[in-house]
Amino acid sequence: MSLHPMYARPRDLEQATQLLASLSSGAVIIAGGQEIMPFINYGVMMPDVYVDIGGISALRGVNVESDEVSIGALTVHRDVQSTAEILERLPLLAYAAQQIGGGWQVHNRGTIGGNIVAMHPLYDIAPALLALDTDVELLSDKGLQRLSLSQLQNDSSHGLGSSSILTRVLVDTMLPNALWGYYKLKNTAGAYGSANAAVVIQMDGEKIASIRIVIGAVSEKLVIISEALDGCLGCAYTLEVGQAIEKACVEAIDEPLSDQQGDGVWRKAMAGVAARRATEMALSNLTNSSIKR
Amino acid sequence: MEDLLDTSALIQLRVDGELHELDVLAGRTLLDVLRDDIGKKGTHLGCKTGHCGACTVMIDGKVAKSCITMAATLARATITTIEGLLDEKGGLHPIQQSFWDEAGLQCGYCAPGIVLSALELVTENHHPSSEDIELALAGSLCRCTGYQSIKRSVAEACVRMYPADENIN
Amino acid sequence: MTQGKEELEGYVGKSIRAKEARAPLIGKAKYTNDYTFSGQLYAHILRSPHAAAKINSVDVSGAKKVAGVHLAICGQDVFEHTNGITDHLNPAIFGGKSTRLPCMAVDEAWCFGQPVAIVVAEDERTARYAASRIQVDYTPLDPIIDVEKAVAKGARSVVPGWEDNTLIYVPFMNGDTQKAFDTASQVITTDIKIHRFSSQPMETRCYNAMWEHDTQSITLYGTCQNPHPLRLVIAETLRMDENKIRIIASTIGGAFGLKMHGHPEEPLICLMAKLLGRPVKWVESREECLLIGAREQQHKVQMAFDSDGVMVGLRDHVLANIGAPSACPGWGMVFLTGLTMPGPYKVENIDIHMNAVTTNKPSWNAARGYGKESTAIALELAMDNAARQLGISPIDLRLKNFIAKDAFPYNSPTGLVYDSGDYSGVLLKALETIGYQDWKDRQAAARSEGRYLGIGMAFELTPEGGTIPGTMVAGYDSSTVRVGPDGTVRVLTGITSPGTHNATAMAQIAADELGVDIAKIEVLQGDTNSSPYGFGNYSGRSTIVGGGSVALAAQDVRAKINAVAAALLEVEPDTLNLVKGVFSSSAKKDATLTFAEVCYASYTRAYDVALCIDPPLEATRTFKPPGISHLPDKNGRINPYPSYSNAVYVVVCEVDADTGKIDLLSLAAAHDCGKVINPILVEGQVCGAFAMGLGGALTEDIQYDANGIQLTKSFKDYVMLRMADIPPIGVAHHDSPNPDNYLGLKGAGEAGVGGSAAALVNAVNDALEPLGVLMHEMPLTPSRVWAAIQDANNGEGVN
């Protein structure tokens, strides 16, 4: 807790990891700052050291290799929304990034890495990424670690934000016949999400071949619903199937959040409504239309 | 590793056309540096949490909330504030003129977010729809106008700057 | 859109663009926080983390050790240097309780956020850090957060020494309500809960106080709606003479009542400057600003109707949770809610009980509407409920019960005298503006598709220009008009602007009275050293009393100029014409003089042609609206308002029954604010108030946990509406001028929050009528709307 914090801007990953390792505690990694600056401004967080990773070029850029899209952690939301590789290969992610609140200002400065590291239940990027096949790369002085995003969600020892750096987000290109939907329930235009649902479905003709739904903003951790939906596999999407999906998603929520966005009873129910609407979006023609910035 | 660490950072900002080399303490916001170090008071403090947009500037041509931007992280940047829009003769930018003509603002405190977001919008999209305007200004709060006169002003600015093509119906 | 003066027709009534609007557009307006002075220091206030607690000790030694700290003191120190803060509105005048209002808590903190210590340092960050080093030993007390607990028998007193927690009880009774209820055909009861919400202007408060060593006086730059009255408050609180205090309210970024005086920081920051001999600035954080609330009250409205649907009796029992005592005038809103009953309705038998109850919540300040918006909410929700139960349309029920157009001036059962109005006309105009029948058709079509569309209307009566005897809430104001030797004009006025551009309205009036181009007029406001004594901005008074006094002063100066022009031209003054800055006379062909020449002569020829006048070309006049009467009638009532603006708001919305979310489809307002000086300014006020009311009804809410700790800390939690939330607003005017005020002005700017909030609630209830949902508690967040739908269907939800 310091009135005179220190600042460092390592020029590359090696320098960054060495620096982080040499600092015992009280170090905070900063990129766009959209997440941590409000806490800094109010004195809620008073780091001893700011490690600014904004100058590290290895954290930038979007590349594709063998159908895996590698997104640098410093990629800003605006670019996630509009970069050709992401629009073509990960349209669900591009769309979810458009739903991020805070306006163009936040889209211009906020990074995908910062958003994921925040692990904020109300945010939009993680639900979309969890509905896809996503790994993340974490770098510390102990080396480079690759793990799935869902593993990361459950692992509190990752040290992200203070001792290890999220370097790249790796997502498999969505299959050509994958349908996707994203529904964000907000009380009003400027509110945070009360219930988010990301859906990826594959159809085999008229029948559902696979379906994965991720619910965000309803509970502290994001909820991935997959096996609970096995009953829909091989079925056409009917009213009953929609209701079954809704019910399964509601039941998957154990401890819904209660805050000014809404109480837990409602949120639990909204998990189901959001899931169903995201599913319907996936199945409609909307997914085929071009995405505006 | 110690030579990496300092209580401050040297940054180079070109603010509204003027170059400033500054040694800024870690943790300070771009808003405070603009207002207190450079004396640009036109950009305002509204919430310090990045919700209201009154602190908006453009960083390298893109709107950003200066109250949640750490100045030290801007090693080299071009900043446009609301004070940087006048032409060489001191005349109003077409967007400012439109806000004037349409009585767009009342107390004016929200102007930085409103005007600069409108500038980014019209730069990218010469003929925005009503919904496009709403999305572009989603980061800005106004408490006085109910947004009606603001929307009118932005729409008028777009027409003023990019009169519709005769062939477009 | 054109602007400018049309030949011989004047500026008043035209949408003249505000000159003062240019500065913020180019980032050059000077808001209070933009001033920084040589030797500037910064203050940070340590606030109570408890809703109620004994303060056993405050140890500031840790703060003093931090480099850059100039001062760190606690309530006991402040107590030694100050009196209690002078009330903006003393409840004792009205038979209520009063108590010493400290700038800082001494032995006991009575709300979350109350100042407990203050640090002044070289910069804000240091001050805040040092404040975190202050050790306070508290013994928490059982907090009283809910009004029911506060009024329960044996409840602990929030204010030590008070026998109970009711700050003031005000009844409004007239006629024989018991008989009316006994003989009524039907009585309809509506329980309404208005929540705690807040004006939250984009600019928070800021005070920068300076000790002037040469004159041993204080200059305070502050976000103050009422600079002159605040001088007296600072003087009395700091035990100084009033003529040693200067207040400068520079450009304000929105106020809406939140910046009316009474805040502890006002004298506190001045004290810091005095103790240190250096300028001290305090900038309110948004979290601190969110402490300031208003409006939280419960109504039990009972309306008695005869068999024709005419209201014969009105009862209301109100419990208002006003939080901890304060020198701010927030409590007065409760009084006003009752005083404004029964609004536009002609019922004479009333039995209304207003209870302003103190609790351990942070204090109220005034908020746009000042209680009259709550009258509208209570009455209009109850009227719609009554309409439903009586089987009469909400339009017809209102038309049946409005005061008739020819009944003005109208003596209300609470003692008010309404000046003029055509309430039915306003309602019909609003409905026409929204396209009511078309929406009704669309509603029917939507219902057949299983969608829920609703149309809601509400009336808001807004007495404007209020004045309360024995207080600084005064119904008059003054302005000085000065015309210089070159013919340019300065207007100095006691009214201030919260950002509404009333300076332009004043300039329009002055330009018309003087016969000059508006570009030649500068209006100065806000500096107590230069403006004549005034009461600032509140209650929609600026155009009434500001405009009125400017007109009188300008008329005086014009008479002087005319006299000199006549003397120079050697004609009678009544033969003069002034066109485009040139005087001529019908009595003398080809003889002309410029306005500037006449002005110059007025200054330089005092002993020959200008002998007929007293130089210089300056006059200070006061406007006292004649409609006010502070001499009590036989029932002991007074009429503290000169004029009665009114409006109807209509909201069309669609409710998503699966989520409870409300989508606004169309909005309209028809407004009577008497004569309109500047239509585009008025329209701006109507739209702004509409958005504020909708925000309150839909989403804005200040919440506390069971211990009275405030949960709503930022705009993440306190969500206001954005551009995408609000569809176009159709605004129509339906003016009936005030017969007494200058030009028939009634005032605009305060009205709208209540009517729009009520219209929204009524629209939602209209939409959900097929589901049997009835909601009378705000805000109508999706979570609550959904819960109401579940309850109405016995938990089965919607198919």
Side-chain angles (χ1 to χ4, degrees):
Chain A
M1 184 152 174
S2 178
L3 183 56
H4 303 291
M6 307 289 269
Y7 169 89
R9 190 176 168 92
R11 64 170 178 276
D12 57 36
L13 284 172
E14 193 188 330
Q15 212 179 44
T17 50
Q18 277 180 31
L19 174 63
L20 288 169
S22 74
L23 299 164
S24 48
S25 67
V28 161
I29 294 170
I30 183 164
Q34 307 300 279
E35 179 63 20
I36 66 168
M37 285 306 285
F39 298 106
I40 307 294
N41 289 341
Y42 272 86
V44 175
M45 269 173 85
M46 289 189 78
D48 296 319
V49 184
Y50 294 103
V51 178
D52 175 9
I53 56 171
I56 302 175
S57 55
L59 300 175
R60 296 192 184 277
V62 177
N63 319 309
V64 181
E65 199 171 328
S66 311
D67 270 348
E68 180 183 81
V69 184
S70 168
I71 306 170
L74 288 179
T75 307
V76 295
H77 302 315
R78 174 195 165 84
D79 291 338
V80 174
Q81 292 161 3
S82 59
T83 300
E85 289 90 335
I86 298 178
L87 273 172
E88 284 155 22
R89 294 167 175 272
L90 308 171
L92 167 58
L93 178 61
Y95 183 86
Q98 279 179 30
Q99 310 313 309
I100 294 172
W104 284 7
Q105 297 94 324
V106 169
H107 295 183
N108 288 334
R109 302 291 299 177
T111 63
I112 190 169
N115 192 289
I116 294 169
V117 169
M119 305 247 176
H120 200 305
L122 306 185
Y123 287 179
D124 299 289
I125 293 288
L129 288 175
L130 285 172
L132 302 170
D133 291 315
T134 303
D135 284 351
V136 290
E137 276 181 0
L138 272 51
L139 185 67
S140 69
D141 66 322
K142 294 182 187 58
L144 185 69
Q145 194 192 358
R146 178 172 171 147
L147 61 163
S148 73
L149 184 59
S150 56
Q151 272 178 286
L152 182 67
Q153 229 207 162
N154 294 316
D155 167 17
S156 56
S157 69
H158 50 73
L160 282 173
S162 55
S163 54
S164 70
I165 303 170
L166 190 149
T167 55
R168 303 203 69 90
V169 181
L170 304 148
V171 197
D172 285 340
T173 301
M174 293 172 74
L175 294 172
N177 64 347
L179 301 175
W180 59 272
Y182 188 83
Y183 185 82
K184 179 173 183 173
L185 177 62
K186 299 189 290 192
N187 292 355
T188 59
Y192 285 62
S194 302
N196 307 331
V199 177
V200 178
I201 305 181
Q202 258 161 276
M203 303 299 281
D204 181 8
E206 289 282 305
K207 311 213 194 282
I208 298 171
S210 75
I211 177 168
R212 185 193 301 173
I213 300 181
V214 181
I215 304 290
V218 172
S219 42
E220 197 62 46
K221 287 227 158 80
L222 303 182
V223 179
I224 304 172
I225 301 148
S226 182
E227 277 138 34
L229 301 168
D230 281 348
C232 312
L233 299 179
C235 303
Y237 185 82
T238 62
L239 182 65
E240 285 75 30
V241 169
Q243 287 171 342
I245 289 174
E246 184 170 339
K247 187 159 180 273
C249 289
V250 170
E251 283 167 4
I253 308 297
D254 283 323
E255 287 170 27
L257 297 168
S258 269
D259 63 18
Q260 254 186 268
Q261 264 68 250
D263 78 3
V265 173
W266 173 73
R267 271 204 152 96
K268 194 169 146 87
M270 291 308 105
V273 174
R276 182 141 83 145
R277 291 189 178 181
T279 305
E280 283 162 8
M281 176 185 172
L283 294 166
S284 75
N285 289 331
L286 285 173
T287 55
N288 297 323
S289 64
S290 60
I291 296 164
K292 287 199 295 189
R293 189 217 175 239
Chain B
M1 283 289 112
E2 263 118 44
D3 50 348
L4 262 185
L5 291 167
D6 203 343
T7 51
S8 64
L10 271 168
I11 61 173
Q12 227 182 53
L13 299 180
R14 185 171 289 280
V15 182
D16 295 333
E18 264 183 24
L19 189 64
H20 296 268
E21 288 191 355
L22 303 152
D23 191 22
V24 295
L25 286 176
R28 287 185 71 214
T29 63
L30 174 61
L31 178 66
D32 285 347
V33 168
L34 287 171
R35 287 178 58 87
D36 299 339
D37 300 0
I38 301 176
K40 292 261 174 183
K41 305 290 187 183
T43 308
H44 300 139
L45 170 65
C47 68
K48 267 202 303 198
T49 53
H51 291 103
C52 77
C55 67
T56 301
V57 296
M58 282 181 146
I59 301 178
D60 300 328
K62 301 285 171 213
V63 288
K65 288 171 175 171
S66 65
C67 81
I68 51 171
T69 303
M70 190 181 294
T73 65
L74 298 175
R76 258 178 122 123
T78 301
I79 311 285
T80 309
T81 78
I82 189 161
E83 297 175 63
L85 300 183
L86 299 176
D87 64 32
E88 311 86 50
K89 299 194 195 112
L92 295 180
H93 186 283
I95 292 180
Q96 292 166 322
Q97 187 65 55
S98 296
F99 270 85
W100 163 260
D101 289 340
E102 297 296 320
L105 297 182
Q106 291 178 31
C107 82
Y109 203 75
C110 67
I114 300 286
V115 171
L116 292 172
S117 298
L119 179 57
E120 186 170 336
L121 170 68
V122 70
T123 305
E124 281 192 19
N125 181 352
H126 297 341
H127 306 289
S129 67
S130 184
E131 204 195 297
D132 292 332
I133 298 175
E134 289 164 7
L135 280 173
L137 268 62
S140 292
L141 280 173
C142 168
R143 200 52 161 161
C144 294
T145 65
Y147 304 103
Q148 307 290 298
S149 55
I150 292 176
K151 197 183 242 186
R152 203 171 61 224
S153 304
V154 176
E156 150 68 24
C158 295
V159 168
R160 181 190 291 266
M161 291 175 73
Y162 299 103
D165 205 350
E166 281 161 20
N167 295 324
I168 293 176
N169 56 344
Chain C
M1 287 208 162
T2 56
Q3 62 148 337
K5 178 178 169 173
E6 263 157 293
E7 196 76 63
L8 299 176
E9 278 186 30
Y11 293 99
V12 170
K14 302 212 174 50
S15 292
I16 306 298
R17 296 305 186 265
K19 194 156 64 169
E20 62 269 37
R22 187 173 186 275
L25 279 174
I26 61 172
K28 295 299 187 191
K30 295 193 203 119
Y31 299 91
T32 303
N33 191 15
D34 297 342
Y35 292 91
T36 302
F37 301 105
S38 173
Q40 185 75 65
L41 296 174
Y42 300 83
H44 184 86
I45 295 171
L46 184 69
R47 297 179 181 272
S48 170
H50 301 288
K54 291 238 170 288
I55 299 172
N56 303 317
S57 64
V58 183
D59 177 4
V60 299
S61 58
K64 286 180 168 165
K65 291 194 189 113
V66 176
V69 168
H70 287 247
L71 185 142
I73 57 174
C74 68
Q76 186 58 48
D77 305 310
V78 171
F79 180 81
E80 272 147 34
H81 289 100
T82 57
N83 291 332
I85 306 170
T86 308
D87 279 273
H88 196 126
L89 189 63
N90 189 345
I93 296 178
F94 302 86
K97 300 184 179 66
S98 62
T99 184
R100 185 183 190 280
L101 298 157
C103 294
M104 187 175 283
V106 184
D107 300 315
E108 196 170 309
W110 59 23
C111 68
F112 177 82
Q114 185 178 12
V116 166
I118 185 168
V119 177
V120 182
E122 295 284 327
D123 60 76
E124 210 279 327
R125 218 157 47 137
T126 301
R128 187 180 66 203
Y129 176 80
S132 73
R133 294 264 174 285
I134 295 176
Q135 310 268 39
V136 185
D137 181 38
Y138 294 102
T139 302
L141 300 169
D142 177 37
I144 303 190
I145 305 305
D146 299 323
V147 75
E148 290 87 352
K149 186 169 174 182
V151 298
K153 233 178 147 83
R156 180 178 69 78
S157 289
V158 167
V159 179
W162 281 14
E163 58 185 10
D164 59 45
N165 288 315
T166 300
L167 175 88
I168 191 167
Y169 160 71
V170 188
F172 293 92
M173 322 248 255
N174 193 59
D176 190 343
T177 317
Q178 190 59 57
K179 180 171 169 201
F181 273 73
D182 288 342
T183 55
S185 160
Q186 210 167 331
V187 172
I188 290 126
T189 302
T190 315
D191 289 303
I192 294 157
K193 267 196 169 149
I194 304 173
H195 60 305
R196 184 178 171 112
F197 59 115
S198 175
S199 307
Q200 298 304 302
M202 295 324 302
E203 179 205 35
T204 59
R205 296 182 294 135
C206 176
Y207 307 118
N208 194 344
M210 237 152 312
W211 178 253
E212 310 282 8
H213 290 271
D214 53 349
T215 51
Q216 302 281 289
S217 62
I218 287 176
T219 300
L220 173 67
Y221 283 72
T223 49
C224 309
Q225 288 178 240
N226 329 102
H228 282 97
L230 177 58
R231 271 194 329 190
L232 185 63
V233 173
I234 305 282
E236 289 183 340
T237 309
L238 296 187
R239 303 177 191 140
M240 293 173 67
D241 290 339
E242 196 248 25
N243 64 2
K244 291 293 201 179
I245 314 285
R246 177 184 183 188
I247 314 263
I248 298 173
S250 52
T251 308
I252 291 185
F256 316 113
L258 191 135
K259 294 169 179 171
M260 290 178 75
H261 65 80
H263 297 285
E265 296 86 357
E266 288 158 340
L268 187 61
I269 299 304
C270 290
L271 176 65
M272 297 302 107
K274 186 176 177 198
L275 292 175
L276 289 167
R278 282 175 66 168
V280 177
K281 186 195 288 199
W282 175 73
V283 181
E284 183 181 45
S285 73
R286 185 57 63 179
E287 188 174 344
E288 289 170 313
C289 194
L290 281 164
L291 292 170
I292 302 167
R295 302 192 178 109
E296 183 182 353
Q297 59 200 40
Q298 317 167 355
H299 287 249
K300 187 178 207 68
V301 182
Q302 292 183 295
M303 290 175 166
F305 291 91
D306 69 15
S307 52
D308 290 326
V310 175
M311 200 192 317
V312 294
L314 173 70
R315 284 188 170 137
D316 194 4
H317 186 262
V318 182
L319 282 176
N321 185 335
I322 65 167
S326 166
C328 288
W331 75 265
M333 296 175 68
V334 182
F335 178 72
L336 254 307
T337 299
L339 185 66
T340 313
M341 293 273 181
Y345 302 112
K346 61 193 179 197
V347 59
E348 288 184 5
N349 301 310
I350 61 168
D351 184 27
I352 291 166
H353 305 263
M354 309 300 296
N355 295 278
V357 181
T358 52
T359 64
N360 289 121
K361 280 190 174 179
S363 314
W364 282 15
N365 200 357
R368 192 182 205 168
Y370 200 66
K372 297 157 280 189
E373 77 286 22
S374 300
T375 310
I377 293 170
L379 285 175
E380 296 303 286
L381 264 51
M383 281 296 275
D384 256 38
N385 193 22
R388 184 169 299 163
Q389 294 198 34
L390 294 170
I392 302 177
S393 88
I395 299 170
D396 288 337
L397 189 63
R398 287 177 171 86
L399 291 174
K400 254 188 225 286
N401 282 288
F402 279 152
I403 296 160
K405 186 174 164 178
D406 57 9
F408 295 91
Y410 176 80
N411 295 302
S412 93
T414 62
L416 298 180
V417 181
Y418 300 177
D419 54 354
S420 60
D422 175 13
Y423 302 155
S424 300
V426 172
L427 174 58
L428 294 171
K429 189 153 243 180
L431 294 172
E432 181 194 313
T433 306
I434 199 98
Y436 183 75
Q437 195 46 58
D438 188 46
W439 280 111
K440 284 300 272 182
D441 296 339
R442 289 209 239 181
Q443 178 182 51
R447 277 189 184 157
S448 66
E449 290 167 25
R451 289 167 40 230
Y452 302 95
L453 212 97
I455 306 144
M457 69 200 74
F459 189 101
E460 184 170 349
L461 179 74
T462 309
E464 304 257 38
T467 161
I468 300 171
T471 72
M472 288 293 209
V473 181
Y476 65 91
D477 221 287
S478 309
S479 300
T480 301
V481 171
R482 291 182 187 147
V483 180
D486 65 348
T488 61
V489 183
R490 277 212 162 164
V491 175
L492 300 104
T493 178
I495 60 158
T496 53
S497 170
T500 54
H501 306 313
N502 58 37
T504 292
M506 303 301 106
Q508 287 171 258
I509 291 172
D512 280 357
E513 292 293 344
L514 290 169
V516 302
D517 186 333
I518 199 172
K520 299 289 187 186
I521 301 186
E522 285 296 312
V523 179
L524 291 116
Q525 305 170 285
D527 183 347
T528 58
N529 266 16
S530 51
S531 292
Y533 203 98
F535 298 87
N537 160 265
Y538 51 84
S539 190
R541 68 199 298 277
S542 301
T543 47
I544 306 168
V545 288
S549 55
V550 166
L552 291 172
Q555 284 162 9
D556 283 0
V557 177
R558 176 67 186 273
K560 289 194 199 190
I561 294 171
N562 277 0
V564 175
L568 283 167
L569 289 172
E570 294 171 322
V571 297
E572 288 303 306
D574 59 7
T575 68
L576 288 170
N577 292 310
L578 176 62
V579 174
K580 283 195 169 171
V582 177
F583 273 107
S584 61
S585 170
S586 55
K588 211 173 202 180
K589 257 183 83 147
D590 300 329
T592 61
L593 281 169
T594 65
F595 186 84
E597 282 172 326
V598 177
C599 292
Y600 189 76
S602 305
Y603 280 86
T604 57
R605 302 190 56 186
Y607 290 100
D608 57 344
V609 286
L611 262 174
C612 49
I613 64 157
D614 280 336
L617 296 177
E618 179 171 324
T620 298
R621 291 288 300 272
T622 299
F623 183 71
K624 285 169 73 168
I628 296 171
S629 171
H630 281 170
L631 300 169
D633 67 9
K634 63 181 191 315
N635 294 322
R637 298 174 308 200
I638 59 171
N639 176 38
Y641 284 94
S643 51
Y644 294 77
S645 294
N646 53 88
V648 169
Y649 303 84
V650 188
V651 172
V652 182
C653 70
E654 181 161 353
V655 183
D656 179 343
D658 287 341
T659 62
K661 188 170 167 174
I662 298 164
D663 195 20
L664 298 174
L665 300 180
S666 188
L667 305 170
H671 192 252
D672 171 9
C673 61
K675 172 87 180 175
V676 173
I677 301 178
N678 188 323
I680 207 164
L681 295 186
V682 170
E683 204 168 296
Q685 291 305 303
V686 173
C687 292
F690 214 137
M692 200 178 258
L694 290 172
L698 286 169
T699 164
E700 295 174 38
D701 194 7
I702 298 182
Q703 293 188 356
Y704 297 83
D705 70 12
N707 290 318
I709 309 306
Q710 185 152 331
L711 297 169
T712 309
K713 293 178 159 36
S714 74
F715 286 147
K716 171 180 177 288
D717 307 312
Y718 194 81
V719 180
M720 307 196 308
L721 298 183
R722 305 220 172 216
M723 188 190 276
D725 290 310
I726 306 180
I729 302 175
V731 180
H733 295 285
H734 189 82
D735 298 323
S736 45
N738 173 296
D740 299 320
N741 288 346
Y742 174 72
L743 295 180
L745 298 169
K746 288 197 191 199
E750 210 191 355
V753 173
S756 51
L760 184 282
V761 177
N762 285 343
V764 172
N765 286 331
D766 184 52
L768 298 178
E769 192 177 356
L771 298 176
V773 165
L774 202 56
M775 297 183 75
H776 293 132
E777 277 187 41
M778 297 190 294
L780 301 188
T781 55
S783 171
R784 288 165 161 216
V785 173
W786 180 84
I789 294 172
Q790 306 315 302
D791 288 343
N793 283 280
N794 297 315
E796 279 172 44
V798 179
N799 269 357

